[in-house]
């Protein structure tokens, strides 16, 4: 029996995206770009997100550019988006909401 999560169906993916404002995506991955107040806050976001990723044993693809963080979530072992990606998207949203964003 495999412990890998199953990829979401198109309907499940559409429903998940509808519940996560700011996220876009397809079966290839969920994407969000967050612009923070400044560079140090963007770095702090990544630092505060990291323990949650370790707990979930699920790690986003991240790109940091000045105060902007671009995230892509995909379960590489299944080749698509799974419930684990949706769970991590919610964590990303919670961590980002606690920090100052660009105005």
């Amino acid at each position: 029996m495999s412990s890998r999560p199953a990829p979401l169906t198109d309907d499940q993916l559409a429903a998940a995206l509808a519940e996560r404002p700011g996220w876009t995506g397809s079966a290839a991955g969920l994407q969000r770009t967050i612009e923070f107040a400044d560079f140090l806050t963007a770095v702090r976001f990544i630092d505060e997100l990291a323990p949650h990723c370790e707990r979930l044993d699920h790690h986003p693809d991240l790109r940091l550019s000045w105060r902007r963080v671009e995230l892509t979530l995909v379960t590489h072992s299944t080749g698509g988006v799974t419930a684990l990606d949706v769970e991590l998207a919610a964590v990303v949203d919670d961590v980002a909401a606690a920090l100052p964003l660009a105005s």
Side-chain angles (χ1 to χ4, degrees):
M1 180 200 252
S2 174
S3 64
R4 292 189 303 179
L8 298 182
T9 66
D10 289 343
D11 289 342
Q12 290 170 322
L13 179 58
L17 286 171
E19 293 178 8
R20 302 256 58 96
W23 288 90
T24 60
S26 66
L30 303 178
Q31 291 86 31
R32 181 171 178 202
T33 299
I34 307 169
E35 196 163 325
F36 292 95
D38 52 38
F39 175 77
L40 289 177
T41 304
V43 171
R44 182 174 162 202
F45 164 76
I46 293 170
D47 190 49
E48 291 185 12
L49 180 63
H52 298 283
C53 298
E54 285 294 298
R55 177 181 52 81
L56 292 171
D57 192 27
H58 196 55
H59 306 89
D61 294 331
L62 299 166
R63 181 174 182 269
L64 171 64
S65 177
W66 185 39
R67 64 183 186 179
R68 177 180 299 206
V69 177
E70 297 172 7
L71 301 102
T72 300
L73 310 180
V74 62
T75 304
H76 296 285
S77 62
T78 63
V81 175
T82 68
L84 194 53
D85 300 299
V86 176
E87 181 179 357
L88 184 54
V91 171
V92 166
D93 291 347
D94 289 345
V95 173
L99 297 171
L101 301 176
S103 50

